[in-house]
Amino acid sequence: MSLRLGDTAPDFTQESSEGTIHFHEWLGDQWGVLFSHPADFTPVCTTELGATAKLKDEFARRNVKAIALSVDPVDAHKKWIGDINETQNTTVNFPIIADADRKVSELYNLIHPNASSTHTVRSVFVIDPAKKVRLTITYPASTGRNFNEILRVIDSLQLTDHHSVATPANWQDGDEVVIVPSLQDEAVIREKFPRGSRAVRPYLRLTPQPNR
């Protein structure tokens, strides 16, 4: 069964390019981005892992740990990392899970038979410190992921977890946000949003983004 938003991300123990990973223990109290790849030594995946490595500081600023997965074994991962580092001008700084037995792929429903009966699809999961799945996106094999969008969603989740707001279409960090409809008490609104708010419609109220 597919994982749904709010489900607990399945725990697992599996080998990786950085040794044995006990997933929930490895995550600790941080956010996680788990993303899967059809196979090692493939062109789009090579660019994706390079892009993720270059975002190390951005992930760290958001208290996020990245971890990749492919069904190939550890020795292939380590050889592939050399290619990634050289071709993408970076250093891979996160583990790649070796899922040759498909254990993690089955837990996260990463084998889609209509796409491939053997290779994992290009999925991404954002997992919060409570180990809950907060975002799932699956891309076709021909399309590389937009990691700026993944960071944008994490920014939104971390903001809206702590304030009574939602983020509108195409929101970027620093833009106006939406006051949630469940908040109706004007005194509470003034207290929560001292920089003011504006009502475009009774159900569409905007306010400057609170400090994260």
Side-chain angles (χ1 to χ4, degrees), residues 32 69 107 127 195:
L69 175 145
L107 286 172
I127 300 163
R195 296 167 64 190

Side-chain angles (χ1 to χ4, degrees), residues 4 12-13 29 42 49 58 67 77 85 111 121 126 137-139 141 143 149-150 156 160 168 178 187 192 206 212:
R4 296 167 296 187
F12 57 82
T13 299
D29 62 355
T42 50
L49 269 72
E58 292 297 322
I67 188 167
H77 287 354
N85 291 343
I111 303 291
V121 292
V126 171
I137 309 177
T138 298
Y139 294 74
T143 304
E149 168 64 4
I150 293 168
S156 173
T160 59
V178 175
K192 283 181 173 289
L206 301 172
R212 291 173 57 195

Side-chain angles (χ1 to χ4, degrees), residues 61-200:
R61 186 164 67 85
R62 295 165 172 83
N63 195 34
V64 174
K65 299 176 82 170
I67 188 167
L69 175 145
S70 170
V71 295
D72 292 296
V74 168
D75 58 346
H77 287 354
K78 291 183 176 179
K79 292 176 183 177
W80 185 29
I81 285 170
D83 278 3
I84 297 165
N85 291 343
E86 182 177 352
T87 63
Q88 305 304 305
N89 192 30
T90 189
T91 299
V92 172
N93 42 46
F94 52 87
I96 307 174
I97 299 163
D99 196 39
D101 61 3
R102 310 298 199 269
K103 181 172 71 177
V104 180
S105 298
E106 291 178 4
L107 286 172
Y108 283 80
N109 193 35
L110 299 175
I111 303 291
H112 292 193
N114 289 332
S116 170
S117 61
T118 57
H119 292 161
T120 50
V121 292
R122 199 181 301 282
S123 287
V124 58
F125 301 86
V126 171
I127 300 163
D128 70 17
K131 312 301 186 292
K132 300 298 184 182
V133 175
R134 303 296 299 277
L135 169 77
T136 64
I137 309 177
T138 298
Y139 294 74
S142 58
T143 304
R145 278 164 278 222
N146 185 333
F147 285 88
N148 289 326
E149 168 64 4
I150 293 168
L151 289 174
R152 188 188 79 91
V153 174
I154 293 169
D155 285 342
S156 173
L157 290 169
Q158 293 182 347
L159 174 69
T160 59
D161 275 358
H162 295 96
H163 300 279
S164 301
V165 297
T167 54
N170 300 323
W171 172 86
Q172 297 290 332
D173 190 27
D175 290 351
E176 282 188 315
V177 294
V178 175
I179 299 173
V180 295
S182 60
L183 191 59
Q184 292 294 325
D185 188 307
E186 291 297 331
V188 173
I189 291 172
R190 286 193 296 271
E191 180 181 354
K192 283 181 173 289
F193 308 109
R195 296 167 64 190
S197 63
R198 60 189 182 92
V200 180

